[in-house]
Amino acid sequence: MELKQMEQELVALTCGVCKGVSERIRMESELFDIAGFENDIMEWSDFENEVPPLDERHWLRSDRPPEQGQVRTVKVSHPFHMRIGEPFWIMYTPVLSSFNGWDSHPEEIEQSSFVRCSLERVIERNEFTAWLCVKILDVWMIKDYNERFPERDGSTGYLEGFEMFGDPYIFNYRNWLFISAGAQGDLGEWGLVKQLNSQYHMLVYGDWGFHKNNAYGGNILLPKDRIDGWIKQAMENNRYETIE
């Protein structure tokens, strides 16, 4: 196979800071049922074959949620690393929360999902970004994960990282908690937790850094006393917010 053809098959984008290419994301997890990319690395459009220049920042993002069977045009950035024909999971949030976060638009939490895509073809690319066509294979709504996935014990393995960064920030919207902790914008972790019958189920977990932006979906039962302690601590330190 010619080198040029191999390069066309692989879309591995470069970090704008160090100019390095990230390692491939692991598409499996011991604790979670879904392992994929966080939504930040993919922007959804309503374009088909004609797309804006790769360096154009001002273009109309799509407000159409992905549906199974669609072929959609998307723009991806580092640390995207996939081959043509290869399936992958990515978290999807509607357009307002994709720009501003769930804490600004918590009503979009229950409209968010993980989307399983297959990379169909490259429309245009450079070192840092690419316009792609992807086929939508599955769309699994996050709000259903406590019913879709088996409950797993989360007493160890995914909570220590939050405490490593100090006091987590927590916001509460209805029966949802969003918990995040980080170190000076360089790396961090977050979790989306659903409260059910006085128990805490982490349905989504994310970790990010210079060369990773990952998200995981599942149904992780968290120790109640530990999360209650975090909430109390966050309230005492003005790091807890209730959003109506």
Side-chain angles (χ1 to χ4, degrees):
M1 184 180 292
E2 295 182 359
L3 179 60
K4 184 177 179 180
Q5 185 176 354
M6 291 176 65
E7 290 174 346
Q8 288 175 340
E9 286 187 349
L10 176 66
V11 180
L13 300 175
T14 300
C15 172
V17 177
C18 73
K19 313 303 182 188
V21 174
S22 296
E23 295 182 4
R24 283 175 46 85
I25 184 175
R26 288 187 62 196
M27 287 292 172
E28 55 189 29
S29 166
E30 293 179 358
L31 192 58
F32 289 92
D33 297 271
I34 296 174
F37 296 108
E38 194 180 335
N39 60 309
D40 287 359
I41 74 163
M42 181 182 285
E43 298 174 282
W44 297 79
S45 83
D46 290 321
F47 302 122
E48 293 186 3
N49 292 318
E50 298 294 326
V51 295
L54 288 164
D55 59 357
E56 175 62 61
R57 294 187 177 185
H58 303 290
W59 51 274
L60 186 63
R61 275 67 174 177
S62 176
D63 62 359
R64 286 191 303 134
E67 298 179 10
Q68 185 178 11
Q70 289 179 337
V71 175
R72 296 288 296 268
T73 299
V74 298
K75 188 178 184 182
V76 295
S77 56
H78 177 267
F80 189 85
H81 188 144
M82 283 289 144
R83 290 189 178 278
I84 289 178
E86 193 171 26
F88 61 93
W89 286 100
I90 185 157
M91 195 178 87
Y92 167 82
T93 59
V95 66
L96 293 177
S97 51
S98 70
F99 278 114
N100 302 307
W102 279 325
D103 51 348
S104 296
H105 297 280
E107 73 282 358
E108 293 189 347
I109 289 174
E110 297 200 356
Q111 302 168 34
S112 302
S113 61
F114 273 82
V115 181
R116 188 167 176 260
C117 304
S118 174
L119 174 51
E120 297 290 289
R121 66 184 178 91
V122 179
I123 299 174
E124 190 175 347
R125 64 181 290 186
N126 61 21
E127 189 178 359
F128 304 106
T129 60
W131 281 105
L132 310 175
C133 279
V134 297
K135 184 171 184 178
I136 310 303
L137 306 177
D138 291 292
V139 179
W140 289 0
M141 303 304 291
I142 288 169
K143 63 184 176 65
D144 300 328
Y145 288 179
N146 55 290
E147 297 176 354
R148 176 181 286 274
F149 299 127
E151 185 180 289
R152 300 187 185 182
D153 177 23
S155 58
T156 59
Y158 280 88
L159 297 183
E160 287 72 17
F162 289 96
E163 296 172 339
M164 177 182 71
F165 295 116
D167 297 338
Y169 161 75
I170 300 174
F171 86 73
N172 168 233
Y173 173 74
R174 297 181 178 174
N175 63 332
W176 294 99
L177 293 173
F178 181 83
I179 306 171
S180 63
Q184 299 179 343
D186 295 334
L187 69 162
E189 302 181 11
W190 59 268
L192 181 66
V193 177
K194 190 175 187 179
Q195 297 173 269
L196 292 166
N197 302 319
S198 77
Q199 293 184 318
Y200 298 107
H201 297 252
M202 185 159 63
L203 305 188
V204 187
Y205 166 81
D207 63 344
W208 53 271
F210 283 124
H211 283 184
K212 66 177 180 178
N213 207 346
N214 304 333
Y216 305 85
N219 180 16
I220 312 304
L221 183 62
L222 303 177
K224 185 178 186 303
D225 57 347
R226 199 162 175 187
I227 304 304
D228 284 341
W230 285 7
I231 292 171
K232 181 181 178 182
Q233 186 178 33
M235 287 179 170
E236 291 173 349
N237 296 329
N238 294 318
R239 294 182 60 78
Y240 183 90
E241 184 178 4
T242 298
I243 300 174
E244 300 297 334

